Amino acid sequence: MTMTPQAISAANASPYQPRRVPRAFGQTATAPDQAGMLDMPQTPGRPEDRPAAVELRVPPEITPGPYRIGIADVLLLATTAPVTEAEALSGILAAQNRRQGYTVQDDGTIAIPNTGRVRVAGLTVEDAEAAVFQALVASEMDPTFSLEIAEFNSKRVSVGGAVGRPALVPITLQPLRLGEALQLAGGVVAPDQDYASIRLFRDGTLYQIPLTDFFTSARLQRIALTDGDAVYVDTSYELDRAQQYFADQLALVQADTAARANVLDQLETEFTIRRAQLEEERQNFVALTELDALERDYVYRAGELVRQSRLALPYGRMANLADAIYAEGGFDNARGNPSQIYLLRGFGTTGGVRAYHLDARNPGNLILATQMQLRPNDFIFIEEQPITKWNRVVSQFVPSLFNQAASLSTGL
């Protein structure tokens, strides 16, 4: 196959990921996180009557999806079956108060009389209606009904601290916003709002919003809450706590010099250990490479080259045909035939071989050699010049003639 841009593009499409050097070659020995310990407190002053300004840390924005029914939610299923007003009222009360009937149970189902259990946990209201419809049809009952959520008990947000009524606020069909949750808990009752904050715990991370920022920003008031969030209005700054903090600072200053020296020693030791570990990993890799003890990808060079050899493909990048031709002394100009350069590549599982032919007599074709990527076990072969072939025939034939002549003269 002649090596053309189209043929090269098809050959390069075969998947291959070059091997990579160990991570130790891309790392540096950095100091551990204990560096922050060097910032020890300096000479203490008098305790402040006010704390420092609270930093604003807003939780990442979330997009509430449609409400999904959960365990302990109460569903109200209204059918066209004739019932008295007392029976209807009794049915609703039973579902609400005795956690049976249409309360979503621990297995995620509701029990419908004469129909059986229908799994609704994790479904939207629309999906739950479809599930109930199929259950009624399968039970040969009138599938005319309406379904709504009577109580939202599965998804809640806790609100506490300096609020009127600490509470568990349910999440309903409409997204629950931070401002709404605080209002449902009786509103903020902080005596000094300048130094109060709203702290939001979510998935193990603490976020905080200064109360003054909250009241002046509609965006902060509309932060969407999700199931499991905990909101706490914090106004716990007190003078006795400040005094205790001041005493703690005095104790830290007394140990300042010793602590700094100790931390510096620890940092230096840690840095030395990490640097030695990286160096050892690198030296081990180099040694294993020199011993040919690591798995490598190779191509093979034969024919009229200065040195025929097995050539290891590089780490972390693609090699090309030009790399293989000109490696280790390159092309033998005296004996090699530039018009007969071949790259042989196996393909498939049947042992088939595909040969790509490059005619390098035209220097412009050498660009193709830089575009042809190599793959493991490729075989690069350069044929000999016709005159080289003739010279080799003569060099083998002439000595045999002299030997024959010498034998005949000796026999005479």
Side-chain angles (χ1 to χ4, degrees), residues 80-94:
T80 57
V83 294
T84 66
E85 182 177 356
E87 289 173 329
L89 179 59
S90 175
I92 295 175
L93 291 176

Side-chain angles (χ1 to χ4, degrees), residues 198-276:
I198 301 172
R199 302 188 189 276
L200 173 61
F201 295 88
R202 175 181 295 168
D203 296 331
T205 302
L206 172 64
Y207 306 96
Q208 61 186 21
I209 302 171
L211 206 56
T212 52
D213 291 348
F214 175 77
F215 283 134
T216 58
S217 172
R219 179 181 66 87
L220 296 177
Q221 296 173 21
R222 290 189 55 78
I223 290 176
L225 302 179
T226 187
D227 182 35
D229 282 355
V231 178
Y232 187 85
V233 180
D234 188 1
T235 60
S236 61
Y237 181 77
E238 300 173 359
L239 191 58
D240 58 342
R241 295 191 179 185
Q243 191 67 35
Q244 180 60 46
Y245 175 79
F246 178 63
D248 293 341
Q249 297 305 301
L250 284 174
L252 287 174
V253 169
Q254 293 173 356
D256 184 26
T257 303
R260 286 175 180 270
N262 183 48
V263 170
L264 285 172
D265 289 342
Q266 292 178 10
L267 291 178
E268 181 63 27
T269 301
E270 183 70 18
F271 186 83
T272 302
I273 292 175
R274 293 189 181 187
R275 183 166 51 192

